[in-house]
Amino acid sequence: MKRIIGITMLLSIALLAGCGEADQPEIEEVAGSEDAADVEVAEEAPVEIEVAVLYPEGTLDPSLVTADVPVSCRALFNAFYAWDGQTVVIQGYPFVHYGDSITIEDDIELVAVAGERDKLLKVTFPDSLNLRIAADELLTVSGTVDYSWTGRIELVEGTVVTDAVLIDISEVSPYTYDGTSAVEVQAFFDLFNAWIGMEVTVEGYYFGSTTSSGADYHIVRIDLQDPETRDKCAACEMTGEIPEDVSNAMLENRDGVQIRGTIAGESFSIVGLEGCELVNR
């Protein structure tokens, strides 16, 4: 009897072993379980940072203009008067003639530092403000640039602004400024007058020349026009008479006259250059 039981147990063990092999579930491969050495790391695409173009194609960047490369009188005119008619927001200190405060009525002049005497900008208001302000209190104003024959920066239709965000001057040009961000008055003054004192060679259609003489001066002025519209764009002043052969050459071939000089400012509503000399006539 014991022998029969023993044989039965051996058979049961053998059957169980066989069934265990057959019924054992397959182990599925889990995604991502590979060795680190076999995993390929995807390279990230470089992030392109868009850089604002301060001077779009067809405009003049004053930092790139040199006297060695002629610029058209029309392009120079457009660049010189680029701010004219634009609304700007300027921050500075009120100019106070005396005392430690001022009452703003119809206009106010701004300086870069409280107490300074160098007035950089004037803004006029359509209505009297009757606003008292301390000499060391920052003032932010908005207005429309009205290019004055005096060369001063003047804003008309002014308002006092309280919530404008001050931005860095490196982010500003006449072609990208948003009209709502505030710019420090000294920074705007420098940008507004970027062309003053620059030596350039301007090219245009010869309109004609005039002579002004006095006891201690003799100035010959040559006006250049846009060759397409015939609008006068630049006035070039030089000392001394123009030689007759040079004058005849300009009369015979008026187009493409090039004159080198230093930008001095506004001259009867066009760009005025002084210390000029003819380049190609």
Side-chain angles (χ1 to χ4, degrees):
M1 186 68 177
K2 291 181 178 178
R3 184 178 178 182
I4 293 173
I5 293 172
I7 294 172
T8 302
M9 291 179 66
L10 290 172
L11 289 171
S12 298
I13 293 168
L15 288 171
L16 286 171
C19 290
E21 261 181 30
D23 298 337
Q24 189 173 359
E26 294 182 1
I27 300 175
E28 296 182 0
E29 292 185 2
V30 181
S33 63
E34 297 90 352
D35 292 340
D38 299 329
V39 178
E40 293 185 2
V41 179
E43 294 184 3
E44 293 185 3
V47 178
E48 294 185 2
I49 300 175
E50 186 176 350
V51 179
V53 179
L54 297 181
Y55 293 89
E57 186 177 354
T59 64
L60 295 180
D61 181 345
S63 67
L64 301 180
V65 173
T66 69
D68 297 327
V69 180
V71 297
S72 74
C73 68
R74 167 57 68 185
L76 184 61
F77 177 91
N78 291 343
F80 187 80
Y81 289 98
W83 287 105
D84 196 29
Q86 289 202 45
T87 298
V88 296
V89 180
I90 308 297
Q91 186 177 93
Y93 292 93
F95 170 75
V96 178
H97 185 65
Y98 62 90
D100 57 4
S101 63
I102 188 173
T103 298
I104 303 174
E105 300 290 352
D106 299 328
D107 60 68
I108 190 70
E109 293 172 302
L110 297 185
V111 296
V113 179
E116 277 195 355
R117 317 307 290 173
D118 188 11
K119 297 172 284 187
L120 302 179
L121 177 145
K122 179 181 180 180
V123 56
T124 58
F125 304 96
D127 301 305
S128 181
L129 298 185
N130 194 29
L131 175 64
R132 194 74 179 173
I133 184 172
D136 60 354
E137 182 179 345
L138 271 173
L139 178 67
T140 305
V141 296
S142 174
T144 302
V145 177
D146 183 21
Y147 202 100
S148 169
W149 67 270
T150 63
R152 293 180 56 190
I153 305 176
E154 297 189 5
L155 306 184
V156 296
E157 298 299 318
T159 58
V160 174
V161 180
T162 58
D163 57 355
V165 178
L166 188 67
I167 59 174
D168 187 87
I169 194 65
S170 63
E171 303 172 6
V172 176
S173 84
Y175 311 101
T176 61
Y177 177 64
D178 59 16
T180 59
S181 300
V183 179
E184 292 178 341
V185 66
Q186 182 66 64
F188 183 74
F189 180 88
D190 294 340
L191 185 60
F192 185 88
N193 292 291
W195 293 101
I196 302 297
M198 283 188 59
E199 186 181 27
V200 298
T201 298
V202 61
E203 179 178 288
Y205 184 90
Y206 173 60
F207 171 77
S209 61
T210 55
T211 302
S212 300
S213 297
D216 56 353
Y217 69 91
H218 183 86
I219 297 174
V220 177
R221 167 181 165 134
I222 294 177
D223 287 341
L224 295 180
Q225 297 175 306
D226 179 340
E228 295 182 2
T229 65
R230 291 293 193 267
D231 293 330
K232 288 198 287 186
C233 299
C236 307
E237 295 184 352
M238 59 188 69
T239 58
E241 292 291 343
I242 301 175
E244 185 177 353
D245 59 333
V246 173
S247 180
N248 291 336
M250 286 193 294
L251 289 171
E252 293 170 1
N253 184 11
R254 293 175 177 266
D255 202 13
V257 173
Q258 296 178 2
I259 303 176
R260 177 177 295 190
T262 301
I263 299 175
E266 185 270 354
S267 178
F268 297 96
S269 300
I270 59 178
V271 185
L273 293 85
E274 61 184 13
C276 297
E277 59 180 10
L278 285 157
V279 174
N280 64 346
R281 292 291 188 279

